[in-house]
Amino acid sequence: MQVDSALIACTNLPEELDPALRRRFKRHVFCGLPDAEDRKILMKYLLRQKQHSLTEENFLELAKRTSLFSGADIANLISTAEMGPTR
């Protein structure tokens, strides 16, 4: 009986993986960083149930300033900003 196994892995730093390890994977799927519109949508989504005073212009400016941010980076930014008033 042959058993097929699957492995799904992800990383924000694929260039840091050993090339021999990368060759063992049958398929590589690259998901690029979100564009400005996607970053804006993500920020709005993460803040949807939070009280804030951000305007559409604020979201546009934040989207511009976070050009190299991944989705996880944006989530961390929002989480850190939420803690600002308690500090």
Side-chain angles (χ1 to χ4, degrees):
M1 172 191 249
Q2 181 179 354
V3 177
D4 289 333
S5 61
L7 172 68
I8 298 175
C10 66
T11 180
N12 288 339
L13 301 168
E15 64 278 358
E16 297 293 322
L17 292 176
D18 180 38
L21 175 66
R22 282 189 286 162
R23 283 193 298 271
R24 293 181 181 265
F25 293 108
K26 291 181 181 179
R27 180 175 294 160
H28 302 126
V29 178
F30 177 74
C31 299
L33 295 174
D35 63 16
E37 181 64 21
D38 290 338
R39 291 190 304 273
K40 183 182 80 168
I41 291 168
L42 180 56
M43 286 182 231
K44 286 182 172 184
Y45 178 79
L46 293 170
L47 290 169
R48 72 193 182 285
Q49 296 177 343
K50 309 288 183 189
Q51 186 176 0
H52 64 82
S53 60
L54 295 172
T55 64
E56 183 67 20
E57 291 79 23
N58 295 140
F59 281 111
L60 289 170
E61 182 64 26
L62 284 169
K64 287 179 191 174
R65 291 181 178 219
T66 55
S67 63
L68 296 177
F69 281 43
S70 67
D73 294 332
I74 292 171
N76 188 26
L77 174 69
I78 298 297
S79 175
T80 302
E82 288 176 329
M83 297 303 292
T86 60
R87 292 187 181 138

